[in-house]
């Protein structure tokens, strides 16, 4: 496995979760999996260890529309983290504005796990989302969407596609029609994409080499539309995922040639410039 190279200053982890004791923050009864506890202190320690300054906490599906754990973590992180929430569908503008004051900068539609928002609910909020400068993060299997460009055209705010469009393990061929649409949308600046969770997309162990062609195709299409993330704490997956391996995979994806050294400019774009602008208001 390629060891991770230099991490640029002000680098971001664009997708992680904090999950505290269920005695304090009860889990959704109809959740799709039983998560490990993943306290804020452990996450901040990982950021420090691998040299990442900022992070994005995404509301996990196991909490449904209860964003209290997310908001508590944002407040305790003292500005180091921003949040992506899952407000109740009947939330009004004042509720979204309150979340903004608490550090939230986006909403998430999770179409793979129970307890999520539908795109229809998010569409109703678009005037408020636009005024707040928020984005919409979407987890789905892009191959099952049909016409991706028509889907993206529904939104008037930036759209971020989670986990490279979530192809089934071992089926990440960039020439596959759904993934080809995603690559085209990234090329055209119609959406952002997270280069994350290769272990969810791969039929192999680290460095998940069967995911490399897709990640490289997305980066080649438009690095200015690519983000990177740990997906910590790697919920609902086998144990043993290492953040060093994830950063090493990014280095391989950012290399001009297979087996080469990561292009520092491309890596800086993905780890700092893109998330800094999208999440941090740069």
């Amino acid at each position: 496995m390629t060891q991770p190279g230099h991490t640029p200053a002000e680098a971001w982890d664009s997708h992680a979760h904090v999950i505290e004791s269920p005695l304090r923050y009860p889990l959704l009864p109809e959740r799709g999996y039983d998560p490990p506890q993943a306290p804020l202190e452990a996450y901040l320690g990982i950021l420090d260890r691998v040299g990442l300054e900022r992070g994005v906490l995404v509301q996990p599906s196991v909490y449904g529309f209860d964003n209290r754990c997310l908001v508590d973590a944002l407040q305790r992180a003292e500005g180091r983290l921003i949040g992506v929430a899952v407000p109740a569908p009947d939330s009004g503008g004042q509720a979204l504005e309150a979340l903004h004051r608490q550090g939230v900068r986006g909403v998430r539609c999770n179409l793979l796990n129970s307890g999520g928002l539908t795109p229809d609910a998010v569409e109703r909020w678009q005037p408020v989302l636009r005024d707040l400068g928020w984005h919409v993060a979407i987890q789905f299997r892009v191959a099952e969407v049909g016409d991706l460009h028509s889907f993206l055209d529904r939104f008037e705010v930036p759209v971020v596609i989670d986990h490279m469009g979530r192809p089934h393990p071992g089926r990440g061929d960039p020439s596959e029609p759904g993934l080809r649409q995603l690559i085209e949308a990234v090329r055209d600046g119609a959406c952002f994409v997270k280069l994350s969770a290769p272990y969810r997309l791969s039929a192999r162990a680290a460095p998940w080499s069967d995911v490399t062609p897709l990640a490289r195709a997305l980066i080649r299409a438009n690095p200015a539309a690519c983000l990177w993330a740990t997906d910590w704490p790697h919920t609902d997956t086998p144990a043993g995922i290492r953040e060093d391996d994830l950063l090493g995979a990014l280095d391989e994806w950012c290399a001009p040639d297979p087996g080469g050294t990561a292009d520092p400019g491309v890596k800086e774009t993905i780890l700092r410039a893109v998330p800094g602008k999208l999440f941090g208001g740069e």
Side-chain angles (χ1 to χ4, degrees):
M1 178 70 197
T2 299
Q3 293 301 309
H6 173 71
T7 300
E10 302 178 10
W12 287 71
D13 172 11
S14 295
H15 187 114
H17 309 288
V18 163
I19 302 167
E20 301 280 0
S21 168
L23 297 177
R24 184 176 183 187
Y25 299 111
L27 301 172
L28 195 69
E30 61 271 25
R31 62 189 178 275
Y33 61 90
D34 291 322
Q37 287 194 37
L40 173 67
E41 293 75 14
Y43 177 57
L44 295 178
I46 287 173
L47 293 184
D48 290 340
R49 185 181 66 79
V50 299
L52 298 170
E53 183 172 328
R54 303 292 304 276
V56 180
L57 294 184
V58 177
Q59 169 82 340
S61 64
V62 295
Y63 285 136
F65 304 127
D66 181 356
N67 294 277
R68 290 178 300 154
C69 182
L70 172 71
V71 168
D72 174 69
L74 296 178
Q75 293 174 339
R76 289 190 288 130
E78 299 179 338
R80 186 174 183 182
L81 310 176
I82 66 104
V84 175
V86 181
D90 60 355
S91 298
Q94 289 185 338
L96 300 182
E97 290 167 0
L99 287 170
H100 186 86
R101 291 191 295 271
Q102 293 167 320
V104 172
R105 295 295 182 268
V107 297
R108 188 191 198 198
C109 294
N110 185 341
L111 305 183
L112 296 185
N113 299 102
S114 60
L117 288 168
T118 66
D120 289 342
V122 173
E123 280 188 279
R124 293 194 294 272
W125 294 331
Q126 289 198 105
V128 179
L129 301 183
R130 187 173 57 248
D131 290 345
L132 293 174
W134 284 17
H135 71 280
V136 177
I138 300 179
Q139 176 169 226
F140 58 8
R141 297 198 190 280
V142 69
E144 299 172 2
V145 170
D147 186 344
L148 178 61
H149 282 80
S150 294
F151 180 87
L152 295 173
D153 283 344
R154 301 172 64 178
F155 299 97
E156 302 169 4
V157 297
V159 176
V160 181
I161 305 299
D162 287 350
H163 309 327
M164 295 186 260
R166 285 298 301 264
H168 288 283
R171 298 178 61 182
D173 183 347
S175 66
E176 188 275 333
L179 294 176
R180 189 170 65 245
Q181 285 193 79
L182 176 60
I183 293 165
E184 292 170 354
V186 168
R187 180 199 64 203
D188 296 342
C191 66
F192 295 86
V193 64
K194 292 175 187 171
L195 308 173
S196 53
Y199 47 86
R200 299 187 189 277
L201 321 180
S202 178
R204 303 175 187 174
W208 313 289
S209 56
D210 52 341
V211 179
T212 298
L214 174 59
R216 291 175 66 89
L218 290 165
I219 292 171
R220 284 197 302 268
N222 186 3
C226 294
L227 304 151
W228 176 88
T230 62
D231 190 33
W232 187 85
H234 323 298
T235 58
D236 199 26
T237 60
I241 305 300
R242 299 175 62 249
E243 288 72 34
D244 287 340
D245 288 342
L246 295 168
L247 281 164
L250 175 65
D251 280 347
E252 294 185 10
W253 303 340
C254 290
D257 301 299
T261 302
D263 183 319
V266 171
K267 191 173 176 182
E268 192 273 346
T269 294
I270 294 169
L271 286 177
R272 188 202 66 77
V274 177
K277 183 176 182 180
L278 183 62
F279 306 132
E282 289 185 4

